[in-house]
Amino acid sequence: MQKEKMERKQFELHPGRHVGSDNPCYVIAEIGQNHQGDESIATELIRIAASIGCDCVKFQRCCLKSKFNQKALDRPYNSKHSFGSTYGAHKACLQLTDEQFFRLKNYSLNNQGIQFTASAMDTESIDFLMDRMQVPWLKIGSGDVDNFPLIEKAADKNVPLVISTGMHGIDVIKRSINLASKFNDRICVLQCTSSYPCPPRDVHLNCISLYQQIFPDKVIGYSGHERSWPISLGAVAKGAKVLERHLTLDHTMKGADHECSLEPEEFKLLIDNVKILEEALGRPVKSRQPSEEECFQKLGKSIVARRNLKSGCILVAEDLAIKVAEPHGIAAHKMDEVIGRIVRKDIHQDESINEQDLIIEN
């Protein structure tokens, strides 16, 4: 059963692009609300994401009155990042209209050739994204890991789910993933810490290994909110097959997510280094590599005669030495196979011993 699960640990996240197993890491540019409610900024971020090699751009979709109660919307919001005097007014300034969502999706797919999706932050948004926009996969943000009705509704839509796991302990996360799995076997679980920016001590990349053990039939990834990109590269080294980072035009822009986002050059550095790392990770097969051949020819060890050897003598350990030899002889690791064999011809001290110098059988 375990073997079957491991073999299934990949699926198509968007048409023609599989994730998991030996597939390249799938990179999501989280635009979120870094567009500032401005469609032109959103368009530019999509263009950048496509140009640096991201696989998908992701926005956030919510109906404010479905996600927040009235008192939460009326809560004063005096942050330096505020776009309104109350939290509701602030969030309203960062909303995109349905028409803007459709235009941005069209621009992504038809102008830039990059996939488009969004986080669904309430059940109405699930219906909008799936039934009207027909996104290829849905993102469930960390804030909804324990929102079991939303998890069930999203899973029942029968599209791949990418679920972040910030702000919750492993028991709740297990319940959420197990619930989604009753309806959907195409699930990616992202290690995530929901602090903006996230200090390195709170990242816990080892949770990627934990999730690989607990959810062996799921694709495991990482959603990062730390400053800069090296920690995210470490997540790929730990086995993250989906990588999500926020993209911004400028760290200093107004808005809570910009500080933990990557500017275009940083994001490109991350993607370039992910490709190098994946090439370097290779396969769990150890053998001499073509690039090592030159070094082996120069320094590889061979079996040589420790003393002059007469034709017909039976080799003992004292007859043999291991040295860098010219030309190469029998490889050093075959020493035990050579002992006890008969010498076919005279061999001078310090000469390489080759197979043609020995009788095959005693």
Side-chain angles (χ1 to χ4, degrees), residues 27-45:
V27 180
I28 303 165
E30 163 68 292
I31 293 174
Q33 296 183 332
N34 282 353
H35 50 71
Q36 316 291 75
D38 185 328
E39 186 177 350
S40 64
I41 295 176
T43 300
E44 176 64 4
L45 288 168

Side-chain angles (χ1 to χ4, degrees), residues 337-348:
E337 300 173 28
V338 169
I339 292 171
R341 293 181 67 180
I342 299 172
V343 175
R344 184 190 298 274
K345 66 174 187 175
D346 291 350
I347 302 173
H348 295 295

Side-chain angles (χ1 to χ4, degrees), residues 305-347:
R306 188 188 296 273
R307 52 198 177 200
N308 290 331
L309 303 173
K310 293 293 186 181
S311 175
C313 75
I314 299 174
L315 293 174
V316 295
E318 290 74 19
D319 293 328
L320 308 173
I322 293 175
K323 295 186 178 182
V324 174
E326 184 65 35
H328 278 244
I330 296 172
H333 67 270
K334 295 185 176 181
M335 183 86 148
D336 289 344
E337 300 173 28
V338 169
I339 292 171
R341 293 181 67 180
I342 299 172
V343 175
R344 184 190 298 274
K345 66 174 187 175
D346 291 350
I347 302 173

Side-chain angles (χ1 to χ4, degrees), residues 157-354:
K157 289 291 185 179
N158 197 32
V159 296
L161 296 183
V162 177
I163 303 176
S164 281
T165 58
M167 297 187 287
H168 295 282
I170 194 62
D171 290 340
V172 170
I173 293 166
K174 283 181 180 177
R175 286 184 62 189
S176 182
I177 302 304
N178 290 339
L179 173 63
S181 298
K182 293 178 180 179
F183 302 89
N184 196 327
D185 62 358
R186 293 174 294 166
I187 296 171
C188 175
V189 184
L190 304 185
Q191 163 57 4
C192 177
T193 304
S194 300
S195 52
Y196 305 83
C198 180
R201 66 178 179 274
D202 290 341
V203 170
H204 296 294
L205 291 182
N206 280 326
C207 282
I208 293 172
S209 302
L210 175 67
Y211 288 173
Q212 289 168 338
Q213 295 168 11
I214 295 174
F215 308 118
D217 59 338
K218 303 295 183 286
V219 172
I220 307 303
Y222 176 69
S223 177
H225 301 117
E226 71 277 2
R227 292 186 176 95
S228 194
W229 56 268
I231 288 175
S232 293
L233 189 64
V236 178
K238 291 291 291 183
K241 303 303 294 186
V242 172
L243 178 62
E244 177 184 67
R245 287 300 307 265
H246 287 252
L247 174 65
T248 182
L249 297 178
D250 186 341
H251 286 303
T252 64
M253 290 177 73
K254 181 179 176 180
D257 290 343
H258 292 287
E259 190 176 356
C260 70
S261 301
L262 298 178
E263 292 180 356
E265 283 301 314
E266 293 176 297
F267 216 132
K268 185 177 186 303
L269 271 174
L270 173 60
I271 291 175
D272 290 347
N273 278 278
V274 164
K275 292 177 181 177
I276 293 169
L277 173 62
E278 288 186 318
E279 184 178 22
L281 286 171
R283 298 173 298 138
V285 176
K286 183 58 181 171
S287 61
R288 185 187 307 153
Q289 298 302 302
S291 63
E292 295 179 295
E293 193 59 40
E294 181 180 350
C295 185
F296 176 75
Q297 291 301 323
K298 183 170 64 174
L299 298 175
K301 295 298 198 304
S302 298
I303 300 172
V304 302
R306 188 188 296 273
R307 52 198 177 200
N308 290 331
L309 303 173
K310 293 293 186 181
S311 175
C313 75
I314 299 174
L315 293 174
V316 295
E318 290 74 19
D319 293 328
L320 308 173
I322 293 175
K323 295 186 178 182
V324 174
E326 184 65 35
H328 278 244
I330 296 172
H333 67 270
K334 295 185 176 181
M335 183 86 148
D336 289 344
E337 300 173 28
V338 169
I339 292 171
R341 293 181 67 180
I342 299 172
V343 175
R344 184 190 298 274
K345 66 174 187 175
D346 291 350
I347 302 173
H348 295 295
Q349 179 183 356
D350 215 36
E351 282 188 341
S352 300
I353 298 176
N354 290 287

